[in-house]
């Protein structure tokens, strides 16, 4: 009997080492069966039936190891998990996750051999791709051309399995949105993401865009993470102010209060920020005299009468108003204000008398032989008042001279018939 056992031990020690490979999914509860080492190593084929119950198995322990064992092996060669296994905490990214368990085989108290068992911990797709942030705010300028790009953060997946950790990206946006997503693989296996502008932007048409980058893994079932992108279009000073009217027509009279605006000009600018702020000024086309009669508020666009407004013969003033924005290269537009003067004062008419003979001072002479109805003088009457206040009636009380009407407010002086 002892000779038979000795030969058996010699035979086992000189045979090729038997490696066993098992698979176990991560996340399983403790005491999950991994495999039957005794059966899978085919050791029982090398022993007589009466010797089988004397073969025992035990896991070899590392010296000074403070880690709790992940596997346990029964004397009968059955291997179980000792704890719930997590591939992500045990293994590196994108590598095969496995542990080697060395199991000693003994016959009674005698050493037979050591079996190396490779346990592959199969990764379960229990993580989704995650971006470092959930939202990103970015800005493109109206001056940016096609091809302008902004880099985005990429996603990572904590799973260690190859397919479970492989990430593909796509951009979700409206069909007409002028953006595409460019994805480039880097040497470490991660991806570089860029948002690429496809055409110039116009803030006045669309000032904001909302995009979503979807990161999806290749696991089964697959999981995905979402990065939301808020794009704002910064303004370029590409719009000039536009007046509400090209011509403002207003009438005032002598009772106009100098503290009440006679008119308010208003211009809008579609640009934003400083580019859209408008100030008002008298254009260089406005006469210097008119500038002394009217006051323009640069901020509000309100126009007031200046103090001591002279109601002269002039009936209309033209004011040219320029609206200028505050862009670095300012843009402007011009409107005209027609101020019609309605004089409600009742002023005395004025006479303009011109004689045929040259007067000396206020005296003119008539020849002794002058004939009846001879033309002596030309008279014009003016009155700048309006309505009935501006209507005049002229009469000449003289025993030798007579006033005859030539037209509206025009007369001639002739010699009366004797």
């Amino acid at each position: 009997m002892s000779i038979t056992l000795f030969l058996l031990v010699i035979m086992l020690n000189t045979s090729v080492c038997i490696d066993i490979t098992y698979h176990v999914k991560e996340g399983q509860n403790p005491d999950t069966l991994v495999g039957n080492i005794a059966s899978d190593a085919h050791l029982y084929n090398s022993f007589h039936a009466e010797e089988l119950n004397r073969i025992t198995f035990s896991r070899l322990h590392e010296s000074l190891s403070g880690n709790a064992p992940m596997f346990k092996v029964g004397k009968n060669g059955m291997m179980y998990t000792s704890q719930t296994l997590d591939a992500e905490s045990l293994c590196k990214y994108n590598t095969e996750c496995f542990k080697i368990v060395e199991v000693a085989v003994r016959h009674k108290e005698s050493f037979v051999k050591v079996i190396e068992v490779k346990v592959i911990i199969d990764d379960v797709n229990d993580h989704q791709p995650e971006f470092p942030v959930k939202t990103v705010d970015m800005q493109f300028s109206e001056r940016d051309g096609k091809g302008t790009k902004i880099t985005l953060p990429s996603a990572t997946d904590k799973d260690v399995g190859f397919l479970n950790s492989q990430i593909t990206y796509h951009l979700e946006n409206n069909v007409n949105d002028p953006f595409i997503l460019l994805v480039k693989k880097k040497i470490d296996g991660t991806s570089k993401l860029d948002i690429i502008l496809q055409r110039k932007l116009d803030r006045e048409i669309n000032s904001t865009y909302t995009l979503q980058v979807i990161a999806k893994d290749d696991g089964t079932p697959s999981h995905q993470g979402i990065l939301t992108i808020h794009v704002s279009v910064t303004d370029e000073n590409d719009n000039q102010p536009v007046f509400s009217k090209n011509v403002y027509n207003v009438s005032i009279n002598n009772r106009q209060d100098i503290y009440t605006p006679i008119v308010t000009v208003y211009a809008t600018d579609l640009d934003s920020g400083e580019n859209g702020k408008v100030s008002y000024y008298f254009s260089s086309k406005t006469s210097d005299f008119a500038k002394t009669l009217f006051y323009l508020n640069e901020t509000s666009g309100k126009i007031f009468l200046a103090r001591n407004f002279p109601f002269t013969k002039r009936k209309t003033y033209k004011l040219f108003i320029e609206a200028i924005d505050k862009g670095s290269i300012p843009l402007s537009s011009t409107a005209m204000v027609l101020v019609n003067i309605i004089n409600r004062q009742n002023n005395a008419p004025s006479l303009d008398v011109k004689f045929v003979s040259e007067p000396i001072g206020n005296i003119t002479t008539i020849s002794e032989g002058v004939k009846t109805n001879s033309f002596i003088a030309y008279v014009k009457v003016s009155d700048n008042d309006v309505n009935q206040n501006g209507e005049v009636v002229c009469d000449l009380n003289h025993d030798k001279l007579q006033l005859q009407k030539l037209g509206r407010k025009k007369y001639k002086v002739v010699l009366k018939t004797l």
Side-chain angles (χ1 to χ4, degrees):
M1 183 68 174
S2 60
I3 296 175
T4 302
L5 179 59
F6 175 76
L7 292 175
L8 177 61
V9 171
I10 295 297
M11 180 185 68
L12 291 174
N13 282 334
T14 57
S15 64
V16 178
C17 179
I18 300 174
D19 292 326
I20 303 173
T21 301
Y22 291 125
H23 287 262
V24 61
K25 288 185 178 181
E26 67 166 331
Q28 303 271 21
N29 293 328
D31 296 322
T32 296
L33 177 64
V34 178
N36 186 338
I37 298 174
S39 173
D40 296 332
H42 306 292
L43 289 177
Y44 290 155
N45 297 336
S46 303
F47 290 91
H48 295 295
E50 63 271 15
E51 299 293 329
L52 294 180
N53 59 353
R54 298 179 181 180
I55 301 296
T56 60
F57 300 83
S58 62
R59 185 179 66 84
L60 297 179
H61 300 274
E62 295 182 25
S63 61
L64 302 178
S65 174
N67 297 326
M70 289 181 284
F71 304 98
K72 57 186 177 182
V73 179
K75 289 184 178 182
N76 59 356
M78 303 296 286
M79 176 181 279
Y80 299 89
T81 60
S82 298
Q83 57 181 276
T84 299
L85 303 177
D86 180 27
E88 288 74 41
S89 63
L90 295 173
C91 302
K92 294 181 179 180
Y93 165 77
N94 203 13
T95 58
E96 185 181 54
C97 185
F98 67 91
K99 296 296 177 182
I100 299 296
V101 180
E102 295 167 321
V103 179
V105 182
R106 289 180 293 180
H107 180 266
K108 295 183 180 180
E109 297 299 325
S110 300
F111 171 79
V112 177
K113 73 177 288 117
V114 172
I115 297 176
E116 290 189 354
V117 179
K118 180 180 181 181
V119 182
I120 298 175
I121 304 167
D122 290 329
D123 182 49
V124 175
N125 193 23
D126 54 354
H127 293 89
Q128 67 182 29
E130 291 183 351
F131 289 94
V133 292
K134 293 186 179 297
T135 61
V136 169
D137 295 326
M138 63 173 57
Q139 291 183 340
F140 283 92
S141 170
E142 285 185 314
R143 73 179 66 171
D144 291 335
K146 180 179 179 180
T148 302
K149 64 182 179 180
I150 296 179
T151 300
L152 297 173
S154 59
T156 57
D157 194 313
K158 293 180 181 179
D159 291 315
V160 296
F162 179 75
L163 292 178
N164 294 340
S165 60
Q166 288 298 298
I167 301 175
T168 56
Y169 298 89
H170 74 274
L171 181 67
E172 283 196 356
N173 58 343
N174 294 325
V175 176
N176 295 324
D177 286 351
F179 305 99
I180 61 171
L181 177 67
L182 179 64
V183 182
K184 288 185 178 180
K185 283 290 185 182
K186 297 193 291 187
I187 193 170
D188 62 356
T190 60
S191 297
K192 182 177 183 294
L193 309 181
D194 290 307
I195 290 292
I196 308 292
L197 184 62
Q198 289 295 92
R199 63 176 184 270
K200 288 181 72 70
L201 301 172
D202 188 339
R203 185 186 179 280
E204 286 69 46
I205 295 177
N206 201 343
S207 61
T208 60
Y209 297 85
T210 299
L211 317 174
Q212 284 188 328
V213 175
I214 310 298
K216 189 175 182 180
D217 64 32
D218 291 339
T220 303
S222 64
H223 298 293
Q224 68 179 30
I226 299 176
L227 175 66
T228 301
I229 305 168
H230 299 294
V231 180
S232 59
V233 183
T234 58
D235 190 45
E236 184 75 9
N237 193 24
D238 54 355
N239 290 280
Q240 66 182 28
V242 177
F243 279 98
S244 58
K245 298 179 182 179
N246 290 326
V247 178
Y248 296 81
N249 203 320
V250 61
S251 297
I252 62 172
N253 58 52
N254 57 294
R255 298 187 182 94
Q256 177 70 36
D257 182 5
I258 63 174
Y259 300 106
T260 301
I262 63 174
V263 67
T264 299
V265 296
Y266 180 69
T268 57
D269 193 314
L270 293 177
D271 293 319
S272 65
E274 293 298 306
N275 295 336
K277 292 182 179 179
V278 178
S279 296
Y280 305 92
Y281 305 92
F282 284 121
S283 162
S284 59
K285 295 294 184 180
T286 302
S287 69
D288 291 337
F289 178 66
K291 292 177 184 178
T292 65
L293 302 180
F294 300 93
Y295 164 72
L296 171 62
N297 186 298
E298 296 178 359
T299 303
S300 66
K302 294 180 179 181
I303 300 176
F304 300 84
L305 282 181
R307 293 180 182 274
N308 302 320
F309 186 87
F311 285 88
T312 61
K313 296 180 181 180
R314 190 168 180 177
K315 294 183 178 181
T316 302
Y317 289 91
K318 290 183 180 180
L319 308 178
F320 296 95
I321 311 300
E322 193 170 21
I324 305 176
D325 65 30
K326 296 186 181 298
S328 57
I329 302 177
L331 299 178
S332 65
S333 61
T334 304
M336 181 173 66
V337 177
L338 290 177
V339 183
N340 302 296
I341 308 300
I342 301 175
N343 189 352
R344 297 190 182 279
Q345 294 176 327
N346 190 9
N347 298 292
S350 61
L351 294 175
D352 182 17
V353 181
K354 294 181 179 178
F355 297 95
V356 174
S357 301
E358 184 176 356
I360 301 173
N362 292 327
I363 300 174
T364 188
T365 59
I366 300 174
S367 174
E368 184 179 12
V370 68
K371 295 181 180 180
T372 301
N373 290 326
S374 293
F375 179 54
I376 305 300
Y378 175 64
V379 179
K380 284 199 304 183
V381 181
S382 61
D383 192 324
N384 291 324
D385 295 330
V386 296
N387 299 327
Q388 291 183 348
N389 292 341
E391 297 297 326
V392 296
V393 176
C394 291
D395 192 19
L396 177 60
N397 294 319
H398 197 275
D399 59 345
K400 303 287 185 184
L401 301 176
Q402 180 182 0
L403 190 66
Q404 294 181 355
K405 191 169 185 177
L406 295 175
R408 188 173 183 273
K409 298 183 181 180
K410 296 178 181 179
Y411 303 87
K412 66 178 179 178
V413 178
V414 297
L415 187 65
K416 282 184 178 181
T417 302
L418 299 177

